[in-house]
Amino acid sequence: MNLRLSVEGKLTAVLIIALGAAAGAVALASYWQWPLSLMLLAVALVGGGVGLIVGRSVTRRINHGLQALNTGLLNFQDNDFSVSLSVSGADELNQLAQRFNQASDSMRKQRTDIFQRELLLDTVLQNTSLAILLADELGQVLFANIAARQLLGQGSRLEQKTLGQVAAANEDLGPIITQPRDGVFSLLRGDEPQIWHLSYANMRMNGMAVQLYQFKPLTQELTQAEIQTWKKVIRVISHELNNSLAPISSMAHSGQKLLQQSADPVMLKKIFITIAERSAHLNSFLQQYADFARLPQPQCKVFYWQELLETLRGIRPFTLLGELPQQAAYGDTKQLAQVLVNLFKNASEAGTDEQAITLEIRHTPHRQWVTVCDRGTGMSDETLRNALLPFYSTKTEGTGLGLALCREIIENHGGQLAIRNRDKGGLEVSFWLPLLPSQ
């Protein structure tokens, strides 16, 4: 029964046809003068039979349409949007089939678009130099691109591993993974030191809390920046040399004239004093750069931190956290003392209270860890990225050699140095050094 009626209209038509058949049966029974009981039986049989036969054709289509719709929705649950329902007639089932087909087409197109975007995003993520690691709130690694596998897994897959397992397999990066904060750190991979910047974030994805690690390689950027910095240094040195040599030359020329004419002792004394002052300034200026350029290789030997810190007590203030390790350490005590003095000096100049400058030293089975913290102003993102660059300084009278010298000393010891902003303000500078080979 494919009349262009609604479902309600078709059911009403079935009822009318059944009633008409029953009325016809009554007319025939009356004509043949059947008894009342036989007449009622005939009316029931004829009306019910006609209604059943005609109604079956209507309900069969309704059942078929509902079953097809149910099957299509089950396919939707399985993310299969390829199903389409046949469309015929003009009733509500036809409208439902049309709406279902429109929804199926729309979701199929959207899934294709999403798949293409995911493919593009995955291609970008896999081919970027940025090492990206995604883990859930329990520390289970959900995603690691090629760069992350190279950095943290020697090229092997990291998915299904935990952050603890990844940290254990990368002892030099262990604290950075387990206690992540935005900051710069150095790595010694092969014979060349590498500089990296970590950006860490807690976020929600699809309603699930996740941890996002982004390791950005800065070695190439710093190399280019160092070239520009060296050019700047050459300009600064040239400027300072000219500022000192020009008056020295002028004074020397004036002194020659005075000696040729009538020597004035007062004037000659003034000339020599000026020459001496400018020479001393120039010597001090060049000495800072010469010390950095002539940094010798460390002369490592066994020492104890207690003895080393005693020599620093009267130089720069600091507060020791925890107990000092009792086992012997290994390194160049003069150079390590210079590192700590530079870090304490930077912390003091950052505007922090002297009591807030803290030092913590601890030993692990293969490393000796040193951390200096303050509650100063910290660093901006740009300063943090360039802090380890030689001659980079935000201070008006700074040479930009303090942290660069610290980094150079630590890496010459075979260790690594990292800089991070602290929560609630301040800076944390940490480094590790290898223990004795036998340890």
Side-chain angles (χ1 to χ4, degrees), residues 45-57:
L45 290 175
V46 172
V50 171
L52 181 63
I53 293 171
V54 178
R56 179 61 180 163
S57 65

Side-chain angles (χ1 to χ4, degrees), residues 305 327-330 362-369 432-439:
W305 284 107
Q327 61 266 48
Y330 187 67
R362 57 187 177 87
H363 280 196
T364 60
H366 304 288
R367 300 281 190 269
Q368 43 189 337
W369 297 87
W432 64 263
L433 301 167
L435 292 175
L436 282 168
S438 59
Q439 292 179 286

